[in-house]
Amino acid sequence: MAEGESREERFAETFSRLAPAILFVSLLLTLVTASALIPLPEFTTDLSSFAPENDAKEAEERMDLVMTNTPNRVYVQINPSIEGANILEIGALQQMATDLAMINSVFGEDITSHINIANILDNILKERDNQSRTIQDFEEWDNLLLAIIDDDEKCTDAIGNDQAIASATFARDALLNIDFEYLAVCDWIVAQEGTSTPVASSTMWVIEVNGELDSKERQTLAKNIRDVLTGNISSSSDSSLTYGVISDDLISNDINDTTLDNFVWLLLLAIIVVVFVLSIVFRSFLMIAAPLLGLSAALIWTYGTITLLGRPFSILEVAVAPVVFGLGIDYAIHLQRGYEEAKKHTSSAAYAWVKSFSIIRVALTLAVVTTVSAFLASSLSPLPPLRTFGITLALGVVCAFIASTVTVGALHVVVEKTTGIKKRKTIDLSGFAKAATNFQKRNTARILLVVIILTTSSVFLAGTKLDTSFELTDFLSEEDMPIMEVRSDIYESYDAAAWKSVTILIEPKSGEDSLNGERDILRGLEFLDLRISAIPDVVTPINTDSQRPSYDGLYPILRDAVEMNSTFGDKYHLGIFDGELDIVDDFEEGDISAAIHSLLLNDSIGEPLRGQTWSERTAMHVALTDDNSSLRYLKIRVDVIAETSEQTSDLAEEFEKQAALIESEKYIDGEVHIGGEVMMIHSIFSGLVVSQVESTGVSLLVSILVLFVLTRRLGQSLVVILPVAISGSWVVGSMAILGLNWNVLTIMITALTVGLGIDYSIHVWRSFEANRKSGLGLWDSMTKMYATTGTALIMSAGTTICGFLVLKLSPIPVIQDFGIVSSISVAFSLILALFVLPGLLAAEVRSSNGDN
């Protein structure tokens, strides 16, 4: 004992001497890492940043080297400025055309194409009006219709022309409000009297953006387009139109801006809450300022180091601050309470701090090692942001530990050397300790029965009610964000609202330069065409005889080309039979490649909806070998409707089956990959589920292994970890009751529960064990544990809960959910550590030696 005291005294003397240097190094480290945070780093939340690497992504990158990149879409909701007005009045269409021309003049270099009713009409006029007029040259629909229809044409003349029906139906379902009325147009064409104007209350304008732009460039472009349309134009008194703009890039931009704007004040509010709670606990300026300064430094070290390592910040990093503060406050409260107790027996601040650390060093070290291990489990996630989140949390715990033990201690030593020692009255919860022990004596069996019932109910509720969701819109509030109002308006207005894309990528097998067997390739694509039209949620004509789905690729390009020009089909031995493309006599290998090569050189209109030339359309979907003699890459883009994560996953799984069928049928001797927005969301969705299972399982396993290695007692290790596992089940049960789902933040709550809960359990266990080893009986050991460690845990957990509840004030829904669930997690971890674990420990003692 004397040797231990002597070692502590020597260490205290060294610590006292080095305290100023420790503060200087801490300050220097804070300044260096803080410099990396100026200006504040940007948050990244675009879909591609969440998506894991996969074969499809790599294949598309190879294709993009020789093909036109797949464009990204910006959706513009157009409403008349006067409520109830007709969006298809000539004047409104003329303004659309003017505004489109203005957008093109400013941003045209970065825009691939437009899908816009006014632009479609101009393309039709360009093709059919012999006077080369535009929509600006007409004052009423009567003259416009006369310019684009022949004298003997009727509304029914499109019957039999599947391409015309598919294009018209797509325009109706995706571009015109569900209240669209066109019968008056047909009546006018027949009788040429009465009104000829179609009616709709809104229309959609789709701007397709250059796919070569990176995420930041796309966000900036979409934001600038929105500023022009919703600001300069919509606010003008001369405008007859109002615009609402939405895209995944705009949603990411708004999330990033909202996150950055709110992160700082949420952090400040959390600090105020911590100061308030610490003031109640310690009633001393130094006891409040020391941990506050130390933990603020720890946060700067954490975020600064991650920035210096080049790790991008996502919205997940917002959750790091309350976790680091919560655990750091826990460490600081334990150390400062031990420090206050030690100061009763010594005048040396350094010795008192060393003594305090010496008493709880094993518990503290165990807690840090297991917590860091639990958080590092997230680094195994297939999703890059979750990996960064796990690493950041683990680093934050280490920084909080160093700051709480070393920096805060040095601050106490230096300040108390300078200002002297001040006596302060601490909170006395001895009454709570006795009451809690008596409660354990009388109710252990009842407590365990209640725990079993609650745990079983929680697991059942979680299994039946909890769903997983990932949409960028989960990050935005429908009440406070204008972009969410636009989204709701779009989904209510159109049958095919804000469609997404699935991309089927076909490339030669490894070691081969081209796709061989054009006859079989065409047959395989024909079968694929039939299957695509039968997939639910693919944009397909309704209430018509045509079943041509909205997609583009080699097969529909050739089919359209042959339908529009039979000479083209004759030249390359292709024909249309019952609406389907097939080969004719004299077809030979190389005909399809030759047909594609001719289309790549054709600058006439090949896509009336977008106004694209055959060359532009073909270059986006087909690539030939260098000598133009064979097919090299095929890209098929399918338009689908998916409003929820569940719909997205169902579609993704269906298209994965289609990819497997393409390969198994052997018609196309190549490798098939599925990409696009739908697959990206599905891969994130699947990654969230995998991350939740892996992070929870690994964190629990690592915690048990660490406890076992350090204690050599498997039974006791399981006893210590059991309340933590129970807490996790209660948390997910609470989520089900509250109607919360798994999302990109709450998916980590079980691992966080392990990381936070294991800290509380270890402190209770080590305190109980230390009291037993000092000679106290079972119930006296428990009473002393409640009086010391229990009191500290209540204080630290209260602080942590308050810190997490601050997140409820965030305007971002997923952060609000995370704040609620994390607060519940801390509360359950505390309850189980104080009222279930002691009973389990007592039962273990009684069963091993009959001690009462």
Side-chain angles (χ1 to χ4, degrees), residues 381-434:
S381 169
L383 307 183
L386 290 186
R387 291 200 295 268
T388 300
F389 183 51
I391 292 169
T392 306
L393 281 174
L395 177 62
V397 172
V398 173
C399 291
F401 175 72
I402 294 171
S404 299
T405 54
V406 180
T407 305
V408 173
L411 192 58
H412 276 290
V413 170
V414 170
V415 171
E416 295 201 8
K417 269 185 181 180
T418 306
T419 62
I421 302 170
K422 296 181 180 179
K423 299 291 182 181
R424 32 195 175 258
K425 183 179 179 181
T426 59
I427 293 177
D428 182 11
L429 293 180
S430 56
F432 160 75
K434 292 176 183 177

Short mmCIF file of all heavy atoms in Angstrom, two decimals, residues 381-434:
data_model
loop_
_atom_site.label_atom_id
_atom_site.label_comp_id
_atom_site.label_asym_id
_atom_site.label_seq_id
_atom_site.Cartn_x
_atom_site.Cartn_y
_atom_site.Cartn_z
N SER A 381 -19.13 -0.86 -42.20
CA SER A 381 -20.31 -0.63 -43.03
C SER A 381 -19.92 -0.51 -44.50
O SER A 381 -18.87 0.05 -44.83
CB SER A 381 -21.03 0.65 -42.58
OG SER A 381 -22.03 1.01 -43.51
N PRO A 382 -20.78 -1.00 -45.40
CA PRO A 382 -20.51 -0.80 -46.83
C PRO A 382 -20.75 0.64 -47.30
O PRO A 382 -20.36 0.99 -48.41
CB PRO A 382 -21.51 -1.76 -47.51
CG PRO A 382 -22.61 -1.92 -46.52
CD PRO A 382 -21.97 -1.82 -45.16
N LEU A 383 -21.37 1.46 -46.43
CA LEU A 383 -21.69 2.84 -46.82
C LEU A 383 -20.58 3.78 -46.32
O LEU A 383 -20.33 3.85 -45.11
CB LEU A 383 -23.03 3.27 -46.23
CG LEU A 383 -24.22 2.35 -46.54
CD1 LEU A 383 -25.50 2.94 -45.95
CD2 LEU A 383 -24.37 2.13 -48.03
N PRO A 384 -19.93 4.52 -47.21
CA PRO A 384 -18.82 5.39 -46.80
C PRO A 384 -19.15 6.36 -45.68
O PRO A 384 -18.35 6.51 -44.75
CB PRO A 384 -18.46 6.13 -48.11
CG PRO A 384 -18.89 5.19 -49.19
CD PRO A 384 -20.12 4.51 -48.68
N PRO A 385 -20.31 7.07 -45.69
CA PRO A 385 -20.59 8.00 -44.59
C PRO A 385 -20.70 7.30 -43.22
O PRO A 385 -20.29 7.87 -42.21
CB PRO A 385 -21.93 8.63 -44.97
CG PRO A 385 -22.01 8.49 -46.44
CD PRO A 385 -21.35 7.18 -46.73
N LEU A 386 -21.22 6.08 -43.20
CA LEU A 386 -21.31 5.37 -41.93
C LEU A 386 -19.94 4.94 -41.44
O LEU A 386 -19.68 4.90 -40.24
CB LEU A 386 -22.23 4.16 -42.06
CG LEU A 386 -23.72 4.45 -42.24
CD1 LEU A 386 -24.53 3.17 -42.20
CD2 LEU A 386 -24.23 5.39 -41.17
N ARG A 387 -19.05 4.60 -42.38
CA ARG A 387 -17.67 4.28 -41.98
C ARG A 387 -17.00 5.49 -41.35
O ARG A 387 -16.36 5.39 -40.30
CB ARG A 387 -16.87 3.80 -43.20
CG ARG A 387 -17.31 2.46 -43.75
CD ARG A 387 -16.22 1.83 -44.60
NE ARG A 387 -15.94 2.59 -45.79
CZ ARG A 387 -16.52 2.39 -46.98
NH1 ARG A 387 -17.44 1.44 -47.09
NH2 ARG A 387 -16.19 3.10 -48.03
N THR A 388 -17.15 6.63 -42.01
CA THR A 388 -16.57 7.87 -41.46
C THR A 388 -17.19 8.20 -40.10
O THR A 388 -16.49 8.63 -39.18
CB THR A 388 -16.78 9.04 -42.44
OG1 THR A 388 -16.14 8.73 -43.68
CG2 THR A 388 -16.20 10.33 -41.88
N PHE A 389 -18.49 8.00 -39.99
CA PHE A 389 -19.19 8.27 -38.72
C PHE A 389 -18.62 7.43 -37.59
O PHE A 389 -18.35 7.93 -36.50
CB PHE A 389 -20.67 7.98 -38.92
CG PHE A 389 -21.54 8.28 -37.73
CD1 PHE A 389 -21.50 9.50 -37.09
CD2 PHE A 389 -22.43 7.32 -37.25
CE1 PHE A 389 -22.31 9.78 -36.00
CE2 PHE A 389 -23.25 7.59 -36.16
CZ PHE A 389 -23.18 8.82 -35.53
N GLY A 390 -18.42 6.14 -37.85
CA GLY A 390 -17.87 5.26 -36.82
C GLY A 390 -16.47 5.68 -36.42
O GLY A 390 -16.13 5.70 -35.22
N ILE A 391 -15.64 6.00 -37.40
CA ILE A 391 -14.26 6.43 -37.10
C ILE A 391 -14.27 7.74 -36.33
O ILE A 391 -13.50 7.92 -35.38
CB ILE A 391 -13.47 6.57 -38.42
CG1 ILE A 391 -13.27 5.19 -39.06
CG2 ILE A 391 -12.12 7.24 -38.18
CD1 ILE A 391 -12.74 5.25 -40.48
N THR A 392 -15.15 8.67 -36.74
CA THR A 392 -15.22 9.96 -36.05
C THR A 392 -15.67 9.79 -34.60
O THR A 392 -15.12 10.44 -33.70
CB THR A 392 -16.18 10.91 -36.79
OG1 THR A 392 -15.80 11.00 -38.16
CG2 THR A 392 -16.15 12.30 -36.18
N LEU A 393 -16.67 8.94 -34.38
CA LEU A 393 -17.12 8.69 -33.01
C LEU A 393 -16.01 8.09 -32.16
O LEU A 393 -15.80 8.51 -31.01
CB LEU A 393 -18.33 7.75 -33.03
CG LEU A 393 -19.69 8.34 -33.39
CD1 LEU A 393 -20.73 7.25 -33.50
CD2 LEU A 393 -20.13 9.38 -32.36
N ALA A 394 -15.32 7.09 -32.72
CA ALA A 394 -14.23 6.46 -31.96
C ALA A 394 -13.14 7.48 -31.63
O ALA A 394 -12.64 7.53 -30.49
CB ALA A 394 -13.66 5.30 -32.76
N LEU A 395 -12.77 8.30 -32.61
CA LEU A 395 -11.77 9.34 -32.36
C LEU A 395 -12.27 10.32 -31.33
O LEU A 395 -11.51 10.77 -30.45
CB LEU A 395 -11.46 10.06 -33.68
CG LEU A 395 -10.48 11.24 -33.59
CD1 LEU A 395 -9.12 10.77 -33.11
CD2 LEU A 395 -10.37 11.93 -34.95
N GLY A 396 -13.57 10.67 -31.41
CA GLY A 396 -14.14 11.61 -30.44
C GLY A 396 -14.07 11.07 -29.02
O GLY A 396 -13.80 11.82 -28.08
N VAL A 397 -14.32 9.77 -28.84
CA VAL A 397 -14.25 9.17 -27.50
C VAL A 397 -12.83 9.24 -26.96
O VAL A 397 -12.60 9.58 -25.79
CB VAL A 397 -14.75 7.71 -27.54
CG1 VAL A 397 -14.49 7.01 -26.21
CG2 VAL A 397 -16.23 7.67 -27.87
N VAL A 398 -11.86 8.92 -27.82
CA VAL A 398 -10.45 8.99 -27.40
C VAL A 398 -10.08 10.42 -27.02
O VAL A 398 -9.44 10.66 -25.98
CB VAL A 398 -9.53 8.47 -28.52
CG1 VAL A 398 -8.06 8.70 -28.16
CG2 VAL A 398 -9.78 6.98 -28.76
N CYS A 399 -10.49 11.38 -27.84
CA CYS A 399 -10.20 12.79 -27.54
C CYS A 399 -10.88 13.23 -26.25
O CYS A 399 -10.27 13.96 -25.44
CB CYS A 399 -10.66 13.68 -28.70
SG CYS A 399 -9.69 13.50 -30.21
N ALA A 400 -12.13 12.79 -26.05
CA ALA A 400 -12.84 13.15 -24.81
C ALA A 400 -12.14 12.54 -23.60
O ALA A 400 -12.05 13.18 -22.54
CB ALA A 400 -14.29 12.65 -24.89
N PHE A 401 -11.66 11.33 -23.73
CA PHE A 401 -10.94 10.67 -22.63
C PHE A 401 -9.65 11.42 -22.28
O PHE A 401 -9.37 11.71 -21.11
CB PHE A 401 -10.62 9.23 -23.03
CG PHE A 401 -9.78 8.49 -22.03
CD1 PHE A 401 -10.29 8.09 -20.81
CD2 PHE A 401 -8.45 8.19 -22.32
CE1 PHE A 401 -9.51 7.41 -19.89
CE2 PHE A 401 -7.65 7.51 -21.42
CZ PHE A 401 -8.19 7.12 -20.20
N ILE A 402 -8.88 11.76 -23.31
CA ILE A 402 -7.62 12.50 -23.08
C ILE A 402 -7.90 13.86 -22.47
O ILE A 402 -7.24 14.29 -21.51
CB ILE A 402 -6.84 12.63 -24.40
CG1 ILE A 402 -6.37 11.26 -24.88
CG2 ILE A 402 -5.65 13.58 -24.23
CD1 ILE A 402 -5.77 11.27 -26.27
N ALA A 403 -8.90 14.56 -23.03
CA ALA A 403 -9.21 15.89 -22.52
C ALA A 403 -9.71 15.84 -21.08
O ALA A 403 -9.31 16.66 -20.24
CB ALA A 403 -10.26 16.55 -23.41
N SER A 404 -10.56 14.85 -20.76
CA SER A 404 -11.14 14.76 -19.42
C SER A 404 -10.11 14.35 -18.38
O SER A 404 -10.13 14.84 -17.25
CB SER A 404 -12.30 13.75 -19.42
OG SER A 404 -13.31 14.16 -20.30
N THR A 405 -9.22 13.44 -18.74
CA THR A 405 -8.25 12.94 -17.75
C THR A 405 -7.01 13.81 -17.65
O THR A 405 -6.51 14.06 -16.54
CB THR A 405 -7.82 11.51 -18.12
OG1 THR A 405 -7.33 11.49 -19.48
CG2 THR A 405 -8.98 10.54 -17.99
N VAL A 406 -6.50 14.29 -18.77
CA VAL A 406 -5.22 15.00 -18.77
C VAL A 406 -5.41 16.51 -18.77
O VAL A 406 -4.94 17.22 -17.87
CB VAL A 406 -4.37 14.56 -19.99
CG1 VAL A 406 -3.03 15.31 -19.97
CG2 VAL A 406 -4.14 13.06 -19.96
N THR A 407 -6.14 17.02 -19.77
CA THR A 407 -6.27 18.47 -19.91
C THR A 407 -7.05 19.09 -18.75
O THR A 407 -6.63 20.10 -18.17
CB THR A 407 -6.94 18.83 -21.24
OG1 THR A 407 -6.20 18.23 -22.32
CG2 THR A 407 -6.98 20.33 -21.44
N VAL A 408 -8.20 18.49 -18.42
CA VAL A 408 -9.01 19.02 -17.32
C VAL A 408 -8.25 18.94 -16.01
O VAL A 408 -8.27 19.87 -15.19
CB VAL A 408 -10.35 18.26 -17.22
CG1 VAL A 408 -11.12 18.68 -15.97
CG2 VAL A 408 -11.19 18.51 -18.46
N GLY A 409 -7.53 17.83 -15.79
CA GLY A 409 -6.73 17.70 -14.58
C GLY A 409 -5.65 18.77 -14.50
O GLY A 409 -5.44 19.38 -13.45
N ALA A 410 -4.95 19.00 -15.60
CA ALA A 410 -3.90 20.04 -15.63
C ALA A 410 -4.49 21.41 -15.37
O ALA A 410 -3.87 22.25 -14.68
CB ALA A 410 -3.19 20.00 -16.98
N LEU A 411 -5.68 21.66 -15.89
CA LEU A 411 -6.34 22.95 -15.66
C LEU A 411 -6.65 23.14 -14.17
O LEU A 411 -6.43 24.24 -13.62
CB LEU A 411 -7.61 23.01 -16.49
CG LEU A 411 -8.31 24.38 -16.61
CD1 LEU A 411 -7.37 25.42 -17.20
CD2 LEU A 411 -9.56 24.25 -17.47
N HIS A 412 -7.12 22.10 -13.50
CA HIS A 412 -7.38 22.17 -12.06
C HIS A 412 -6.09 22.49 -11.30
O HIS A 412 -6.08 23.33 -10.40
CB HIS A 412 -7.96 20.85 -11.55
CG HIS A 412 -9.44 20.74 -11.72
ND1 HIS A 412 -10.32 21.49 -11.00
CD2 HIS A 412 -10.20 19.96 -12.55
CE1 HIS A 412 -11.57 21.18 -11.36
NE2 HIS A 412 -11.51 20.26 -12.31
N VAL A 413 -5.03 21.80 -11.66
CA VAL A 413 -3.75 21.99 -10.95
C VAL A 413 -3.26 23.41 -11.11
O VAL A 413 -2.89 24.08 -10.12
CB VAL A 413 -2.70 20.98 -11.48
CG1 VAL A 413 -1.32 21.32 -10.92
CG2 VAL A 413 -3.08 19.56 -11.10
N VAL A 414 -3.24 23.92 -12.36
CA VAL A 414 -2.71 25.26 -12.61
C VAL A 414 -3.58 26.32 -11.94
O VAL A 414 -3.07 27.25 -11.28
CB VAL A 414 -2.60 25.51 -14.12
CG1 VAL A 414 -2.27 26.97 -14.40
CG2 VAL A 414 -1.54 24.61 -14.73
N VAL A 415 -4.90 26.22 -12.07
CA VAL A 415 -5.80 27.24 -11.52
C VAL A 415 -5.74 27.24 -9.99
O VAL A 415 -5.66 28.30 -9.36
CB VAL A 415 -7.24 27.00 -12.01
CG1 VAL A 415 -8.21 27.92 -11.26
CG2 VAL A 415 -7.33 27.26 -13.51
N GLU A 416 -5.76 26.05 -9.38
CA GLU A 416 -5.77 26.01 -7.92
C GLU A 416 -4.42 26.37 -7.33
O GLU A 416 -4.33 26.81 -6.18
CB GLU A 416 -6.25 24.64 -7.44
CG GLU A 416 -7.70 24.39 -7.85
CD GLU A 416 -8.38 23.34 -7.00
OE1 GLU A 416 -7.79 22.90 -6.00
OE2 GLU A 416 -9.52 22.97 -7.35
N LYS A 417 -3.35 26.22 -8.10
CA LYS A 417 -2.06 26.74 -7.66
C LYS A 417 -2.09 28.26 -7.62
O LYS A 417 -1.47 28.90 -6.76
CB LYS A 417 -0.96 26.30 -8.64
CG LYS A 417 -0.28 24.98 -8.30
CD LYS A 417 0.86 24.76 -9.29
CE LYS A 417 1.56 23.43 -9.00
NZ LYS A 417 2.66 23.20 -9.97
N THR A 418 -2.81 28.82 -8.58
CA THR A 418 -2.85 30.27 -8.72
C THR A 418 -3.85 30.92 -7.78
O THR A 418 -3.55 31.93 -7.13
CB THR A 418 -3.21 30.64 -10.18
OG1 THR A 418 -2.31 29.99 -11.05
CG2 THR A 418 -3.13 32.15 -10.38
N THR A 419 -5.03 30.35 -7.69
CA THR A 419 -6.11 31.00 -6.93
C THR A 419 -6.35 30.41 -5.56
O THR A 419 -7.08 30.98 -4.75
CB THR A 419 -7.43 30.90 -7.72
OG1 THR A 419 -7.77 29.52 -7.89
CG2 THR A 419 -7.29 31.53 -9.09
N GLY A 420 -5.76 29.25 -5.31
CA GLY A 420 -5.99 28.60 -4.02
C GLY A 420 -7.18 27.69 -4.05
O GLY A 420 -7.91 27.61 -5.03
N ILE A 421 -7.40 26.97 -2.94
CA ILE A 421 -8.46 25.98 -2.84
C ILE A 421 -9.70 26.61 -2.25
O ILE A 421 -9.65 27.34 -1.28
CB ILE A 421 -8.00 24.79 -1.96
CG1 ILE A 421 -6.73 24.17 -2.55
CG2 ILE A 421 -9.09 23.77 -1.81
CD1 ILE A 421 -6.07 23.17 -1.65
N LYS A 422 -10.83 26.29 -2.87
CA LYS A 422 -12.10 26.78 -2.35
C LYS A 422 -12.98 25.61 -1.96
O LYS A 422 -13.16 24.67 -2.73
CB LYS A 422 -12.82 27.64 -3.41
CG LYS A 422 -12.05 28.91 -3.75
CD LYS A 422 -12.80 29.71 -4.76
CE LYS A 422 -12.02 31.00 -5.11
NZ LYS A 422 -12.70 31.80 -6.11
N LYS A 423 -13.50 25.64 -0.76
CA LYS A 423 -14.40 24.58 -0.30
C LYS A 423 -15.76 24.76 -0.98
O LYS A 423 -16.23 25.87 -1.17
CB LYS A 423 -14.58 24.65 1.21
CG LYS A 423 -13.29 24.45 2.00
CD LYS A 423 -12.80 23.02 1.88
CE LYS A 423 -11.54 22.81 2.72
NZ LYS A 423 -11.03 21.44 2.59
N ARG A 424 -16.38 23.68 -1.35
CA ARG A 424 -17.69 23.75 -1.97
C ARG A 424 -18.54 22.58 -1.49
O ARG A 424 -18.05 21.49 -1.20
CB ARG A 424 -17.61 23.74 -3.50
CG ARG A 424 -16.47 22.94 -4.02
CD ARG A 424 -16.17 23.20 -5.45
NE ARG A 424 -14.97 22.45 -5.80
CZ ARG A 424 -13.77 22.98 -5.91
NH1 ARG A 424 -13.62 24.28 -5.78
NH2 ARG A 424 -12.73 22.24 -6.19
N LYS A 425 -19.80 22.83 -1.44
CA LYS A 425 -20.74 21.83 -0.96
C LYS A 425 -21.27 21.05 -2.15
O LYS A 425 -21.77 21.60 -3.11
CB LYS A 425 -21.91 22.51 -0.22
CG LYS A 425 -22.90 21.52 0.37
CD LYS A 425 -24.00 22.27 1.09
CE LYS A 425 -25.02 21.29 1.67
NZ LYS A 425 -26.12 22.00 2.37
N THR A 426 -21.13 19.73 -2.08
CA THR A 426 -21.58 18.89 -3.18
C THR A 426 -22.97 18.32 -2.89
O THR A 426 -23.43 18.35 -1.76
CB THR A 426 -20.60 17.73 -3.40
OG1 THR A 426 -20.50 16.97 -2.20
CG2 THR A 426 -19.22 18.25 -3.77
N ILE A 427 -23.58 17.81 -3.93
CA ILE A 427 -24.90 17.22 -3.77
C ILE A 427 -24.80 15.92 -2.99
O ILE A 427 -23.94 15.08 -3.25
CB ILE A 427 -25.53 16.97 -5.16
CG1 ILE A 427 -25.81 18.29 -5.84
CG2 ILE A 427 -26.80 16.14 -5.05
CD1 ILE A 427 -26.37 18.14 -7.23
N ASP A 428 -25.66 15.76 -2.01
CA ASP A 428 -25.68 14.56 -1.18
C ASP A 428 -26.90 13.71 -1.54
O ASP A 428 -28.04 14.12 -1.36
CB ASP A 428 -25.73 14.95 0.30
CG ASP A 428 -25.71 13.72 1.22
OD1 ASP A 428 -25.44 12.62 0.70
OD2 ASP A 428 -25.97 13.88 2.42
N LEU A 429 -26.65 12.52 -2.11
CA LEU A 429 -27.73 11.62 -2.49
C LEU A 429 -27.65 10.31 -1.69
O LEU A 429 -27.99 9.24 -2.20
CB LEU A 429 -27.67 11.32 -3.99
CG LEU A 429 -27.94 12.49 -4.93
CD1 LEU A 429 -27.84 12.05 -6.38
CD2 LEU A 429 -29.31 13.10 -4.67
N SER A 430 -27.21 10.42 -0.45
CA SER A 430 -27.09 9.22 0.39
C SER A 430 -28.47 8.59 0.63
O SER A 430 -28.59 7.36 0.74
CB SER A 430 -26.41 9.56 1.72
OG SER A 430 -27.13 10.59 2.39
N GLY A 431 -29.50 9.42 0.72
CA GLY A 431 -30.85 8.90 0.91
C GLY A 431 -31.27 8.05 -0.28
O GLY A 431 -31.89 6.98 -0.11
N PHE A 432 -30.90 8.50 -1.49
CA PHE A 432 -31.20 7.73 -2.68
C PHE A 432 -30.48 6.38 -2.65
O PHE A 432 -31.05 5.34 -3.01
CB PHE A 432 -30.80 8.51 -3.93
CG PHE A 432 -30.62 7.66 -5.16
CD1 PHE A 432 -31.71 7.14 -5.83
CD2 PHE A 432 -29.33 7.36 -5.63
CE1 PHE A 432 -31.54 6.35 -6.96
CE2 PHE A 432 -29.16 6.56 -6.73
CZ PHE A 432 -30.26 6.06 -7.41
N ALA A 433 -29.22 6.38 -2.19
CA ALA A 433 -28.43 5.14 -2.16
C ALA A 433 -29.08 4.10 -1.26
O ALA A 433 -29.19 2.93 -1.63
CB ALA A 433 -27.01 5.45 -1.69
N LYS A 434 -29.53 4.52 -0.08
CA LYS A 434 -30.17 3.57 0.85
C LYS A 434 -31.50 3.07 0.29
O LYS A 434 -31.81 1.89 0.37
CB LYS A 434 -30.37 4.25 2.20
CG LYS A 434 -29.07 4.56 2.93
CD LYS A 434 -29.34 5.33 4.22
CE LYS A 434 -28.03 5.70 4.91
NZ LYS A 434 -28.26 6.51 6.14
#
